[in-house]
Amino acid sequence: MNASGEPCFDVAHLGHVELLTDKPQESLDFFVNVYGLTESGREGPSVYLRAFDDYEFHTLKLTASGTTGVGHIGYRCASPQALERRVAAIEAMGCGLGWDNGDLGHGRAYRFEDPDGHLFEVYYDTNRYVAPEAERPALRNIAQRYHGRGICVRRLDHLNLLAQDVAAIRDWLPKALGSRITEEIRLDNGTYGGCWFTVNNKSYDIAYTTDNTTSRGRFHHVTYAVDQREDVLRAADICLENGVHIETGPHKHAIQGTFFLYVYEPAGNRVEIANAGARLILQPDWETVTWTETERKKGQAWGLKTIESFHTYGTPPVA
Amino acid sequence: MNASGEPCFDVAHLGHVELLTDKPQESLDFFVNVYGLTESGREGPSVYLRAFDDYEFHTLKLTASGTTGVGHIGYRCASPQALERRVAAIEAMGCGLGWDNGDLGHGRAYRFEDPDGHLFEVYYDTNRYVAPEAERPALRNIAQRYHGRGICVRRLDHLNLLAQDVAAIRDWLPKALGSRITEEIRLDNGTYGGCWFTVNNKSYDIAYTTDNTTSRGRFHHVTYAVDQREDVLRAADICLENGVHIETGPHKHAIQGTFFLYVYEPAGNRVEIANAGARLILQPDWETVTWTETERKKGQAWGLKTIESFHTYGTPPVA
Amino acid sequence: MNASGEPCFDVAHLGHVELLTDKPQESLDFFVNVYGLTESGREGPSVYLRAFDDYEFHTLKLTASGTTGVGHIGYRCASPQALERRVAAIEAMGCGLGWDNGDLGHGRAYRFEDPDGHLFEVYYDTNRYVAPEAERPALRNIAQRYHGRGICVRRLDHLNLLAQDVAAIRDWLPKALGSRITEEIRLDNGTYGGCWFTVNNKSYDIAYTTDNTTSRGRFHHVTYAVDQREDVLRAADICLENGVHIETGPHKHAIQGTFFLYVYEPAGNRVEIANAGARLILQPDWETVTWTETERKKGQAWGLKTIESFHTYGTPPVA
Amino acid sequence: MNASGEPCFDVAHLGHVELLTDKPQESLDFFVNVYGLTESGREGPSVYLRAFDDYEFHTLKLTASGTTGVGHIGYRCASPQALERRVAAIEAMGCGLGWDNGDLGHGRAYRFEDPDGHLFEVYYDTNRYVAPEAERPALRNIAQRYHGRGICVRRLDHLNLLAQDVAAIRDWLPKALGSRITEEIRLDNGTYGGCWFTVNNKSYDIAYTTDNTTSRGRFHHVTYAVDQREDVLRAADICLENGVHIETGPHKHAIQGTFFLYVYEPAGNRVEIANAGARLILQPDWETVTWTETERKKGQAWGLKTIESFHTYGTPPVA
């Protein structure tokens, strides 16, 4: 909601996620040859990657590091004016860190922190991906040709972060980004086990779930979308044959109804492949769906028990 | 764009389409048992229908009439204030017709006409569908249970209207609804053969193509979305076995990349079943993709020639 | 192998399975409206059912009874002469029970018992299903129209029986039916945990796994094939929405590589929906694939742990 | 039928097809990188290729030549004795050419000619493919890992030859190979427009259609099977993006009901990608389905008109 009680459309979409890896070569090989991203550039310790229909220069910034987890998360605003409004709101909230000059992928960005210490940025100026000759699509309405390499995901979909206090995020994110809460888990003790947010018609672009350790700023997973559930099934065979650890799936989430597969890239960051079907949140006054602890104990949509590591495993690992 | 040069988000989504039929019983049987819509009410000559995940009382109003074609098209606004802004803009454009009291499906609506004489309305107050006991879904984040009857489409997706002057619509609709033009066909003679518009992240919610007759206000087709391309293939077998006329498809559109099947319901209105995969227009500054006449002559994505009736057939039929 | 050391082709295919139910009305409703079989007749306590592309009068004989489990299993021979050869072989093995007059579905049949007490029959004369007007397919190469009701399975695929001594079955079945052993589980202690047999190019038409109770003659599951993996996923939603207990899946078997879903029909008999893709055993000298206990502990193809009830649950229940 | 009026099972399956190409490098690149076959050896002008689940050394022998079309077609017998029986039958028919020493893929083979001059061979001894370390599958019941390269077809399915006199073939092939005729087209003038044959449970392994030119011994297409219809759709995008000429499809055949896509490999030989779903011919006394000229004019299953080139184009081209 904005000041006048109307829905806020300042932020257009999740733009990119920076992932840290302590096995940069193995991680890069996974993201390019198994997951099917394409490199669009590299600078310093980072390689810039994107899916074949991502229109920006990059949606994944893979950075060599001494550890794993998330570097920062970028959201693209709908206009220069919308960016200014978001910066003003974030500064007023007291969580702003100031302007950054941007990188190979986009122009200046305003950085800020969530209550759990994850680093975010909002920006408008971006470098649009221009396909080189060999990557030009047969049809001009997609960003790059469908190359068919590996899982060949279509576009960045969402990410999931861990937080000590999901309730705090639940208050904070709608104020910072204008996000709507589409679904949430409310435990019997009144706390929130998880919360799903969106800034647009996707059913979610970010989720937060409770970190059951005492760590802060940790990462749960990043997800790219494929066009069909069959692509998720095919991804499972590709991961199986390439020795990629499959954590759980394919199956259908009860929450949000997406069809999913979770794997670990070689450095240990959790990565999802998902398909949402034709489901969108078009309703402007969508009412948050609140799941109870009892409902969650039923497991996923078709009865698969939620795997234990889903509640305990995140990156970086806890010492 | 709104007055300040920013994207306009006043209209949330396409709400409903009223279709006229001179074979009301056969049409209803098709929409319920073959297409898989569910009746939520009837009043006078109209039956109100919706797909299993449409959240409103209806998305299709099927009205017995002496002819076929489209009755009116409704778009739902994002807020009461957004509705007021749209009404003001439409009145200023001189195409307003005034307020209507609404029907079983929604509250008051402001009616207006496009340059070709099609009747539109914008509204905010709506009747949300409440599933009766027998239709309650196992998972609470969809509007109605997945009943599996017939093609079992998920939600209203878009419609296509015919117009004498697509260029006029191309100027008019962005002003009236704040729509963006995502793709278009520009013929060698400089006129527009077709234009695809959206008010949200869907790649389009309405398309206009040239009426090659001298008629006005005609209808090309209405489309509901299914979750998977496999559902479109399955729909083809269901139509085949139920004696429904298949006009063309399944195949993939070059424009917008959707996977499609076109059939005629018993009264002759063209109906599509489609799947867009994970493709969305998330980019706030999307640049219209303009297709040339030469490109269009290549046919659809995988080479299927566009069927001749696609350029000539609409409802009501031309005397 | 036949007497001259050549492959035996006397038995053409699994013909039908008789299932017992102590909830006949609920079971029938499940098989017709959820599973998507069609009734072709009834006599006494039995209803005869078949899938839309089964060419015989029935493939499932559902018989009201005081208990659950399997009644008998029928295999159709390739010719009258082949039937005589099988009867001679079975009689020589000492497990023959004699000729039966047949039922609504087929002519005379020779009955015999496996070492665990399950009742089998072989026959040649059969009643071919003739579709009534309303069920006639649009294309004449399928047995009945694709009606699209419920899961709408295509044809009977296989069944799985429990046995005290799988090794005994492993010797017996190739002699009785001329079956080949395509895959098997050999435990560390040298016994066989399971064995998969086929009489034709399907990768299996019957499997036996160890009964961990002291019961004899019990039933594990019966399976019908659907055309696509998407049909299995769709089946999961249909079962979910109809309150059918989903035991495990959808997932891909390591053994045989089929994509599966297991549910319990209302009386408690386990029923599977499966898709094998394009996999067939065309090789005449196929060598049995032997899985070790260690390999089996890895779970299914993509890592799903085999659900515990799979090793313990069968029908009839153990007192 | 064999001498005693029983079904004949002497021939196990279609083994391999030799294809001639006058663009050997381009054809090889297509078959390996687009179609997704794997090379297992080369000798002289030939490269031996196979799909990931073909168990033999090769199923496609690609031979550099001054022209295009088919070299020879190999069928594998069910046993050494069955091979002898087939050779005796073929010699008695007067179309035998004598024994050949075999090649990299298999042992000695008996060669013979069909009435239209196509070269066939039958053999039993074969070289089983042994996957090198890098190609070993994660699950031991498939021949090679699912590599995911290009279309990644699973196995050889069938081929289609052109002939001056389909009726002559219709008499000849059941005698030579023991094939059954599953479907056929009978024109109004009493001649046969096409005929579909099988030696096993597949609905066909070879088809003959009328050559409307005066040429003899020509080739229509070869087909490999994929597991799902989605793989056929995906293949269409892969061909589109790789500049491969798509002739027609994806669509569903009326005859045999397979889901198809036809393309031309770079030298001009027609290649199909197809999926049959779970359809098999298990019935031992299957009655040939005869399609009339009127029925064929309706086009394919969902109404697609059969493309004109399908009736005129074959390889080698007619001078």
Side-chain angles (χ1 to χ4, degrees), chain A residues 135-156:
Chain A
E135 296 298 330
R136 232 168 262 169
L139 301 171
R140 289 183 300 101
N141 48 17
I142 56 173
Q144 178 191 355
R145 74 187 186 105
Y146 174 78
H147 51 69
R149 189 180 58 249
I151 298 168
C152 202
V153 292
R154 175 179 274 267
R155 61 164 173 75
L156 175 62

Side-chain angles (χ1 to χ4, degrees), chain B residues 4 46 53 61 119 126 140 193-194 214 221 261 299 302:
Chain B
S4 60
S46 300
D53 203 19
K61 184 175 181 176
L119 181 62
T126 193
R140 288 183 300 102
T214 56
H221 70 263
L261 175 71
W302 299 320

Side-chain angles (χ1 to χ4, degrees), chain B residues 138 145-146 148 230 234 241, chain C residues 138 145-146 148 230 234 240-241:
Chain B
R145 75 189 185 104
Y146 175 78
E230 259 299 323
R234 188 174 164 273
E241 296 286 19
Chain C
R145 75 188 185 104
Y146 175 80
E230 259 298 324
R234 187 173 165 275
L240 173 68
E241 296 287 19

Side-chain angles (χ1 to χ4, degrees), chain A residues 134-205:
Chain A
E135 296 298 330
R136 232 168 262 169
L139 301 171
R140 289 183 300 101
N141 48 17
I142 56 173
Q144 178 191 355
R145 74 187 186 105
Y146 174 78
H147 51 69
R149 189 180 58 249
I151 298 168
C152 202
V153 292
R154 175 179 274 267
R155 61 164 173 75
L156 175 62
D157 191 82
H158 69 269
L159 82 161
N160 188 150
L161 298 175
L162 292 169
Q164 289 300 317
D165 183 357
V166 171
I169 303 290
R170 196 174 163 275
D171 287 337
W172 176 85
L173 196 61
K175 288 176 194 151
L177 296 184
S179 304
R180 293 188 283 165
I181 302 170
T182 53
E183 307 200 20
E184 65 190 8
I185 300 169
R186 189 156 200 193
L187 303 177
D188 293 348
N189 64 11
T191 64
Y192 292 90
C195 204
W196 284 255
F197 304 88
T198 187
V199 295
N200 52 36
N201 294 139
K202 282 175 28 57
S203 62
Y204 64 118
D205 50 47

